Amino acid sequence: AATMLGAWYRWLVASEPAQPLRWLQTRNRPCENRDITFDSGQCFEGSRNVFAFVAATSSCDPTHSASVKVPPPLFGVPCDYQCPKGNRLGIDLASTAVSRERTMNVTCQRCPAGTYSLGGGTSISGFSRDWNKTWPIELKTSCMYRNTQGGWSVGGATCDFQVLSPESVQGLAASESATWNDFLPESEVAASMVFDATNALACENYTDFGSYPLSGKVVIVQRGTCYFTVKASNAQRAGAVGVVMFDDTADQLFRPAYPEIQDVPNIPMWMVDASVVAKIRDELAEGHDVKMYVGSTRCKKMAASGSNATMDDDDSDNHTQVESVFNQRKRDCRAWQTHPSGRWVHSGHNLGFHDVYSMLIMNVLLVRDGRVTYRYKVDAEEGFDGLRLYVDLEEVVGLASQANRWQEVSIPLSRGPHSLEWSYSKDMGTQVGADAAMIQLIEVEGTAFADHRCFPCSEGFSSVGSAHCVSCGANHYLPAAAEEEHDYSSCLECPSGTWSPPGTTSALGCRPRPACTERDVGLKMSQCMPGEQRTVTARWRQPRVCDPEHPDSVQLPAERTSACEPCQPGMSRKAVGTPPTLECVPDSINCPAGKRAIRERITSHWFSWPRDTRSVVQTMAGSRCSSDQDLDSYSWLSVSCSLLEVLGWRIEPLHGLFAEVGSFNQHRTDLTPAGTDLDAMLHFGVDIGEGGGHAKIVMQVRPPDFLGSHLVLQVDGQTAVLHQEEVEPPSSARADFKLFGDFIVVQFWLAAGRHQVTLVWQHLGADAAGGDAGARVWVTSFENEVAAGARRCEDCEPGFEVSADMLVCTSCPAGRSTAQTVDSEARCQPCPADTYAAVPGSAECTPCGVGMWSAEGSQQCLWRDVTGSVAQNGSARVYNVTGLELAWRTARNQYSGSFEASGGRFYVLELFDKATRPSASSEMDGPAPTDEAGFIWEVSEKYAPAGRGGTTQCVGTSSDQVLNLGSALEAIEPLGNGSGLVLHYTGGSMCGGQPRESFVTLKCDIEGDATLGPHALKEIQAGDSSRCAPVRLEWQTPHACPLCSLADYAMAVSDCSGGTRAVTYIKRSLCMGGLPVPSSTTEICGSGIAIGVWVVGGLMIVCLCCYAFYLRYKWRKTYDRYVKFQGEVRNKIGRSQVEFTID
């Protein structure tokens, strides 16, 4: 008890030094009406009781003789006492003139300015950070995905505790989560771990032991002395995001619980195996950065009503070693999660997953007719993925796929119970943008007859008790008379000589305008004209707060000319257009043959916004303003535009050194409304050429640990995770960064295509108004940007060649490589025969293995047919090894894991492809070797599946339980009798100074097992007691039979019948495939042959006679024509001699 009292007192003094001490020292004034607060009990049989008391945080003394007396309880207050919108249920105190006794009267009180009510309802609002608070019990989240069997499985991030780095402690750790984790907002935790030995029990406030850096970290604590919740609360006050507890004396893990007398902490706790924590502490002691990851603070998963969801384990890597947060399973899903700011909840990181439903479910009971209102954004594949609303399992709001700004939807609800389900669904393929939905606000009217409190309006909005908050822009205010006139739509302009920030609720908020200073002056630059001169025009920054007529105000500088700003690197000025202006255009460069020109868009001067770069401010309410708008003519009634030059990214045209945001710019933060939440975004639009390119941003962030919290890097709307080490392979979802004081260099990869790279500075409430926090961007670089200038030349990497335009390196297609290139040839050449290149971008061709071949330019090797001979007759036998391999692959798809041979031993077989060591499982003690591979392994019985044909369950702990029996396929040889093949493997584990070897005989058996199942495996010769003798295994299968040829078929002839007989063929040896059985035929036989000869001879004589008659007829006709022609000639020419020729 003394320890607890001492800890309580130290917390009281150390955690909040100002207020607790003031409470202890000044609680001596008399209590007044304002010190009395109220609360009500639960409804019972239609009524409730109301109690009054002096709040514990009040500085008054209830026992003081001058204090007002606390009124007695008020019994029997009707539960259906109703207050309209804009009002809350309150208590009026009445007193008599005789004594200071007070009585309570229930009444409806109008909500104060800046708040509103629903007239009895439930509100979960990002403006109040409700998403970061404990979720109501009626609000749950879940997700489902389609599994490999076609059914639906409940998925989502698990609460398994994972150590990501360093490799020596990497993997899953046995853990149990605290009971209060289930009530925290759904979110993932990824952070570095720390251990403070001076406060190992965490029963004392960490500030008592110095300023140990716990902000954003997960702290390790030891069990003992104080409540688990005290440990978590102390860590939470020090800025930790989670707690890992260990117990050296406990035999088993348990779930840390919280006593009912304690408040629930707002950060999670896990009890982790003490042996794992000991290794983590050793790594921390050596100065290593130990990172952890938990996919979900909640361990409970809930299937949607009416679904056939089951807990599915179809993915064999449920408990495989975690390499990183992003190496997730192909089939899975993520439930709704809270944004770290608490300003909204999103549908989970489901990029890369398909056939997914992510559901946010809220069960409500309405005591009267009401409605549900929600505010959302969504970025998904148009028409296929998106957000829907179901009420009582019926769709009431259809698919919404694109909403870049906050959209508000309101649906009426009838009295009674309802189930509200916001479902983000994804189809079987394709993903677009952020691939997520966000909900910022959920309001349900009708869950009560009156509100007991008023809800705050969003930033930049005002109210005097209305149900709808009213927006008043800069230099305007909501008049107090609006409460009496119930006019909530008119904002009045501040009197002359005064100004006000957005959201001002009364005329008292209009402040006198100060004198104008140099920081109120903005410069506008004209285009660069011939002579490299430009016009500089001064203007007042908007919204203008200062008074130019004030006697102490500076005057606007006169218009002047100045030299043009320098072009960005890789660009130079040229005259463009009519009349001509000097514009910066990309440079070009001629590279030697075989080299490509490196295009790089570099921004190192910030005199004006570079091409495709703009500053944008967006508030939580969806108000948005961009630097590409005409700000001089803007009305400035918009909240966002009134803050663009105050809290947005900005440049200084006079010096042009950087773009900055936050307290670096030392702007008028007094313009910021209290509690303003907004995003100051700096957008870079880039178009990356084929092959992709690296991006680099040099920034100055103050303080540096704001990178990733207040300052966020987004690529195409997706937040990139920052790592302080190099990441392979490159990805736009991950980025490396290096620290140099408060300077940070961030590098990441961009694939080919259009991208939007965004730096988001998040102003969260009070953080918007000051503090030494801000960011500057000094240099940006985007490699291979299409419109950028070329600055240098470089060779393409092996496996790539220069494109026709000499700008990008394109990968060699499959079947080609750069290994055999000579100077006079194109860089990518076909692979020679008996080699192959399976994937594009191959630097060299891979030789085919034993028994394989390929043609020139091949993408894969084929198995050669093996030819043997039968010893008895010397006939050739050909085996189709390609068909045998295909049958084996089909068998492995059906039978995974170990094979039990007839001798009782277990083997892991990969006849044609090497496999990694079978012990590569997260359940092994220590990581398995990744460089050892083989075709055949002998394993102990512990590695066998639970049943034949099952999956391997590796649970062994000793490396000698796994023997490599062959890492090289030495030969594929036919059996001497032509009845099968022998696969000879060598290069196995060393035994007696010699590598082990093994033989697998595939014996031809037409009636054997065509599936190559494990039950058909025989052990002909097992290893001896030393386990060094060769192992011989045998399968009897039809796939090992030789190909059929004509010699394998015998001709069978039937008896002669009717002059014909049947001829058939019968297989006379074991074979499969190849030449099919010849078709049956018929042939003539017996007397039918003689008759055929006489018929043919007669036909030939008739044909000869006909031909002779034809010749005689033709000769006679020709002679008659000759005689006739001779007579005609004589009649015409008399007796003259004529010579002619008859053809």
Side-chain angles (χ1 to χ4, degrees), residues 750-787:
L750 292 176
R754 292 284 304 178
H755 299 280
Q756 179 172 273
V757 178
T758 305
L759 288 173
V760 183
W761 181 265
Q762 297 178 337
H763 294 280
L764 306 178
D767 295 335
D772 189 17
R776 285 175 174 168
V777 176
W778 291 80
V779 179
T780 64
S781 170
F782 298 100
E783 187 183 78
N784 200 16
E785 216 273 348
V786 172

Short mmCIF file of all heavy atoms in Angstrom, two decimals, residues 750-787:
data_model
loop_
_atom_site.label_atom_id
_atom_site.label_comp_id
_atom_site.label_asym_id
_atom_site.label_seq_id
_atom_site.Cartn_x
_atom_site.Cartn_y
_atom_site.Cartn_z
N LEU A 750 10.30 4.28 -58.41
CA LEU A 750 9.05 4.54 -59.13
C LEU A 750 9.04 3.71 -60.40
O LEU A 750 9.99 3.75 -61.19
CB LEU A 750 8.92 6.03 -59.47
CG LEU A 750 8.72 6.99 -58.30
CD1 LEU A 750 8.71 8.42 -58.79
CD2 LEU A 750 7.44 6.67 -57.54
N ALA A 751 7.97 2.97 -60.61
CA ALA A 751 7.82 2.18 -61.83
C ALA A 751 7.45 3.11 -62.98
O ALA A 751 7.12 4.29 -62.79
CB ALA A 751 6.75 1.11 -61.64
N ALA A 752 7.52 2.59 -64.20
CA ALA A 752 7.17 3.39 -65.38
C ALA A 752 5.72 3.83 -65.30
O ALA A 752 4.84 3.09 -64.86
CB ALA A 752 7.43 2.58 -66.64
N GLY A 753 5.44 5.07 -65.74
CA GLY A 753 4.08 5.59 -65.76
C GLY A 753 3.96 6.89 -64.99
O GLY A 753 4.92 7.42 -64.44
N ARG A 754 2.72 7.41 -64.95
CA ARG A 754 2.43 8.65 -64.23
C ARG A 754 2.30 8.39 -62.74
O ARG A 754 1.70 7.40 -62.32
CB ARG A 754 1.12 9.27 -64.75
CG ARG A 754 1.20 9.79 -66.17
CD ARG A 754 1.94 11.10 -66.26
NE ARG A 754 1.37 12.14 -65.41
CZ ARG A 754 1.88 13.36 -65.30
NH1 ARG A 754 2.96 13.70 -65.99
NH2 ARG A 754 1.32 14.24 -64.51
N HIS A 755 2.89 9.27 -61.93
CA HIS A 755 2.83 9.13 -60.48
C HIS A 755 2.61 10.51 -59.85
O HIS A 755 2.97 11.54 -60.43
CB HIS A 755 4.11 8.52 -59.91
CG HIS A 755 4.42 7.15 -60.42
ND1 HIS A 755 3.81 6.03 -59.92
CD2 HIS A 755 5.27 6.73 -61.39
CE1 HIS A 755 4.28 4.97 -60.55
NE2 HIS A 755 5.15 5.36 -61.45
N GLN A 756 2.01 10.48 -58.67
CA GLN A 756 1.92 11.68 -57.85
C GLN A 756 2.63 11.39 -56.53
O GLN A 756 2.19 10.56 -55.74
CB GLN A 756 0.48 12.09 -57.59
CG GLN A 756 0.37 13.34 -56.71
CD GLN A 756 -1.03 13.88 -56.62
OE1 GLN A 756 -1.47 14.68 -57.45
NE2 GLN A 756 -1.76 13.44 -55.61
N VAL A 757 3.74 12.09 -56.32
CA VAL A 757 4.50 11.97 -55.08
C VAL A 757 4.11 13.15 -54.20
O VAL A 757 4.15 14.30 -54.64
CB VAL A 757 6.01 11.96 -55.37
CG1 VAL A 757 6.80 11.89 -54.07
CG2 VAL A 757 6.38 10.79 -56.28
N THR A 758 3.73 12.85 -52.96
CA THR A 758 3.19 13.88 -52.08
C THR A 758 3.90 13.85 -50.74
O THR A 758 4.09 12.78 -50.15
CB THR A 758 1.68 13.67 -51.87
OG1 THR A 758 1.02 13.62 -53.13
CG2 THR A 758 1.10 14.81 -51.04
N LEU A 759 4.29 15.05 -50.28
CA LEU A 759 4.76 15.22 -48.91
C LEU A 759 3.62 15.87 -48.13
O LEU A 759 3.18 16.97 -48.46
CB LEU A 759 6.01 16.09 -48.86
CG LEU A 759 7.30 15.44 -49.38
CD1 LEU A 759 8.42 16.46 -49.44
CD2 LEU A 759 7.70 14.27 -48.51
N VAL A 760 3.14 15.19 -47.10
CA VAL A 760 1.99 15.66 -46.32
C VAL A 760 2.48 16.06 -44.94
O VAL A 760 3.02 15.22 -44.19
CB VAL A 760 0.91 14.57 -46.21
CG1 VAL A 760 -0.30 15.12 -45.46
CG2 VAL A 760 0.51 14.08 -47.60
N TRP A 761 2.31 17.34 -44.62
CA TRP A 761 2.58 17.81 -43.26
C TRP A 761 1.23 17.91 -42.55
O TRP A 761 0.37 18.67 -42.96
CB TRP A 761 3.29 19.16 -43.27
CG TRP A 761 3.60 19.67 -41.89
CD1 TRP A 761 2.86 20.53 -41.15
CD2 TRP A 761 4.73 19.33 -41.09
NE1 TRP A 761 3.46 20.76 -39.94
CE2 TRP A 761 4.62 20.03 -39.87
CE3 TRP A 761 5.82 18.49 -41.29
CZ2 TRP A 761 5.54 19.93 -38.85
CZ3 TRP A 761 6.76 18.39 -40.27
CH2 TRP A 761 6.63 19.10 -39.07
N GLN A 762 1.07 17.12 -41.48
CA GLN A 762 -0.21 17.05 -40.80
C GLN A 762 -0.21 17.98 -39.60
O GLN A 762 0.54 17.77 -38.65
CB GLN A 762 -0.48 15.60 -40.36
CG GLN A 762 -0.62 14.64 -41.53
CD GLN A 762 -0.84 13.21 -41.09
OE1 GLN A 762 -0.49 12.83 -39.98
NE2 GLN A 762 -1.44 12.41 -41.95
N HIS A 763 -1.07 18.98 -39.70
CA HIS A 763 -1.30 19.87 -38.56
C HIS A 763 -2.41 19.25 -37.73
O HIS A 763 -3.55 19.14 -38.19
CB HIS A 763 -1.71 21.27 -39.02
CG HIS A 763 -0.64 21.99 -39.77
ND1 HIS A 763 0.39 22.63 -39.14
CD2 HIS A 763 -0.44 22.17 -41.09
CE1 HIS A 763 1.19 23.19 -40.04
NE2 HIS A 763 0.69 22.93 -41.24
N LEU A 764 -2.08 18.82 -36.53
CA LEU A 764 -3.05 18.13 -35.68
C LEU A 764 -3.36 19.00 -34.48
O LEU A 764 -2.61 19.08 -33.52
CB LEU A 764 -2.51 16.77 -35.22
CG LEU A 764 -2.04 15.84 -36.34
CD1 LEU A 764 -1.50 14.56 -35.75
CD2 LEU A 764 -3.19 15.56 -37.29
N GLY A 765 -4.51 19.69 -34.54
CA GLY A 765 -4.97 20.47 -33.40
C GLY A 765 -4.00 21.53 -32.99
O GLY A 765 -3.57 22.38 -33.76
N ALA A 766 -3.57 21.46 -31.72
CA ALA A 766 -2.69 22.48 -31.16
C ALA A 766 -1.34 22.52 -31.85
O ALA A 766 -0.65 23.53 -31.83
CB ALA A 766 -2.50 22.25 -29.66
N ASP A 767 -0.95 21.41 -32.50
CA ASP A 767 0.35 21.40 -33.18
C ASP A 767 0.39 22.39 -34.32
O ASP A 767 1.45 22.76 -34.80
CB ASP A 767 0.64 19.99 -33.73
CG ASP A 767 0.77 18.99 -32.60
OD1 ASP A 767 1.12 19.43 -31.49
OD2 ASP A 767 0.51 17.81 -32.84
N ALA A 768 -0.80 22.79 -34.81
CA ALA A 768 -0.82 23.69 -35.96
C ALA A 768 -0.36 25.08 -35.59
O ALA A 768 0.06 25.85 -36.45
CB ALA A 768 -2.24 23.75 -36.53
N ALA A 769 -0.45 25.45 -34.33
CA ALA A 769 -0.25 26.84 -33.98
C ALA A 769 1.16 27.20 -33.56
O ALA A 769 1.44 28.34 -33.25
CB ALA A 769 -1.21 27.21 -32.85
N GLY A 770 2.05 26.30 -33.52
CA GLY A 770 3.39 26.69 -33.13
C GLY A 770 4.27 25.52 -32.79
O GLY A 770 4.06 24.41 -33.21
N GLY A 771 5.29 25.82 -31.98
CA GLY A 771 6.27 24.80 -31.67
C GLY A 771 7.35 24.78 -32.73
O GLY A 771 7.13 25.14 -33.87
N ASP A 772 8.53 24.37 -32.32
CA ASP A 772 9.66 24.35 -33.24
C ASP A 772 9.57 23.08 -34.09
O ASP A 772 10.34 22.15 -33.93
CB ASP A 772 10.96 24.40 -32.46
CG ASP A 772 12.15 24.59 -33.39
OD1 ASP A 772 11.92 25.01 -34.54
OD2 ASP A 772 13.28 24.34 -32.96
N ALA A 773 8.58 23.05 -34.97
CA ALA A 773 8.36 21.86 -35.80
C ALA A 773 8.04 22.32 -37.21
O ALA A 773 7.18 23.17 -37.43
CB ALA A 773 7.21 21.02 -35.24
N GLY A 774 8.75 21.75 -38.17
CA GLY A 774 8.51 22.12 -39.56
C GLY A 774 9.38 21.29 -40.48
O GLY A 774 10.14 20.42 -40.05
N ALA A 775 9.27 21.56 -41.76
CA ALA A 775 10.03 20.81 -42.77
C ALA A 775 10.40 21.73 -43.91
O ALA A 775 9.66 22.67 -44.25
CB ALA A 775 9.23 19.62 -43.28
N ARG A 776 11.55 21.46 -44.50
CA ARG A 776 12.01 22.16 -45.70
C ARG A 776 12.44 21.13 -46.73
O ARG A 776 13.08 20.13 -46.39
CB ARG A 776 13.19 23.09 -45.39
CG ARG A 776 12.80 24.36 -44.67
CD ARG A 776 14.03 25.18 -44.29
NE ARG A 776 13.66 26.45 -43.71
CZ ARG A 776 14.51 27.26 -43.08
NH1 ARG A 776 15.78 26.91 -42.95
NH2 ARG A 776 14.10 28.41 -42.59
N VAL A 777 12.08 21.36 -47.98
CA VAL A 777 12.53 20.53 -49.08
C VAL A 777 13.58 21.32 -49.84
O VAL A 777 13.30 22.39 -50.38
CB VAL A 777 11.37 20.15 -50.02
CG1 VAL A 777 11.88 19.37 -51.21
CG2 VAL A 777 10.34 19.31 -49.26
N TRP A 778 14.79 20.79 -49.90
CA TRP A 778 15.89 21.47 -50.56
C TRP A 778 16.08 20.99 -51.99
O TRP A 778 16.21 21.81 -52.91
CB TRP A 778 17.19 21.27 -49.77
CG TRP A 778 17.22 21.96 -48.44
CD1 TRP A 778 16.65 21.53 -47.29
CD2 TRP A 778 17.81 23.23 -48.14
NE1 TRP A 778 16.85 22.43 -46.27
CE2 TRP A 778 17.57 23.49 -46.77
CE3 TRP A 778 18.54 24.16 -48.88
CZ2 TRP A 778 18.02 24.64 -46.14
CZ3 TRP A 778 18.99 25.31 -48.24
CH2 TRP A 778 18.73 25.55 -46.90
N VAL A 779 16.10 19.69 -52.18
CA VAL A 779 16.38 19.13 -53.52
C VAL A 779 15.46 17.94 -53.75
O VAL A 779 15.23 17.13 -52.83
CB VAL A 779 17.84 18.67 -53.66
CG1 VAL A 779 18.09 18.08 -55.04
CG2 VAL A 779 18.80 19.83 -53.39
N THR A 780 14.89 17.85 -54.95
CA THR A 780 14.18 16.65 -55.39
C THR A 780 14.81 16.16 -56.68
O THR A 780 15.26 16.97 -57.51
CB THR A 780 12.68 16.91 -55.61
OG1 THR A 780 12.52 17.85 -56.68
CG2 THR A 780 12.04 17.44 -54.35
N SER A 781 14.83 14.85 -56.86
CA SER A 781 15.41 14.27 -58.06
C SER A 781 14.57 13.07 -58.47
O SER A 781 14.30 12.19 -57.65
CB SER A 781 16.86 13.83 -57.80
OG SER A 781 17.35 13.05 -58.88
N PHE A 782 14.14 13.07 -59.75
CA PHE A 782 13.36 11.97 -60.30
C PHE A 782 14.07 11.46 -61.55
O PHE A 782 14.11 12.16 -62.57
CB PHE A 782 11.94 12.40 -60.62
CG PHE A 782 11.16 12.88 -59.43
CD1 PHE A 782 11.01 14.23 -59.16
CD2 PHE A 782 10.60 11.96 -58.55
CE1 PHE A 782 10.31 14.67 -58.06
CE2 PHE A 782 9.90 12.38 -57.43
CZ PHE A 782 9.74 13.74 -57.18
N GLU A 783 14.66 10.29 -61.43
CA GLU A 783 15.42 9.71 -62.53
C GLU A 783 14.49 9.14 -63.60
O GLU A 783 13.43 8.61 -63.29
CB GLU A 783 16.32 8.60 -61.98
CG GLU A 783 17.29 8.02 -62.98
CD GLU A 783 18.09 6.88 -62.39
OE1 GLU A 783 17.54 5.77 -62.27
OE2 GLU A 783 19.25 7.11 -62.03
N ASN A 784 14.91 9.30 -64.88
CA ASN A 784 14.18 8.76 -66.03
C ASN A 784 12.82 9.41 -66.19
O ASN A 784 11.86 8.79 -66.65
CB ASN A 784 14.03 7.23 -65.92
CG ASN A 784 13.73 6.59 -67.26
OD1 ASN A 784 13.92 7.20 -68.32
ND2 ASN A 784 13.23 5.37 -67.23
N GLU A 785 12.71 10.69 -65.80
CA GLU A 785 11.48 11.44 -66.03
C GLU A 785 11.39 11.81 -67.50
O GLU A 785 12.37 12.28 -68.10
CB GLU A 785 11.47 12.70 -65.15
CG GLU A 785 10.12 13.07 -64.61
CD GLU A 785 9.31 13.95 -65.55
OE1 GLU A 785 9.90 14.43 -66.52
OE2 GLU A 785 8.11 14.15 -65.31
N VAL A 786 10.22 11.57 -68.11
CA VAL A 786 10.08 11.66 -69.56
C VAL A 786 10.45 13.04 -70.08
O VAL A 786 11.13 13.17 -71.11
CB VAL A 786 8.64 11.28 -69.96
CG1 VAL A 786 8.41 11.57 -71.44
CG2 VAL A 786 8.38 9.81 -69.66
N ALA A 787 10.02 14.11 -69.42
CA ALA A 787 10.23 15.47 -69.93
C ALA A 787 11.49 16.12 -69.36
O ALA A 787 11.67 17.33 -69.54
CB ALA A 787 9.01 16.33 -69.61
#
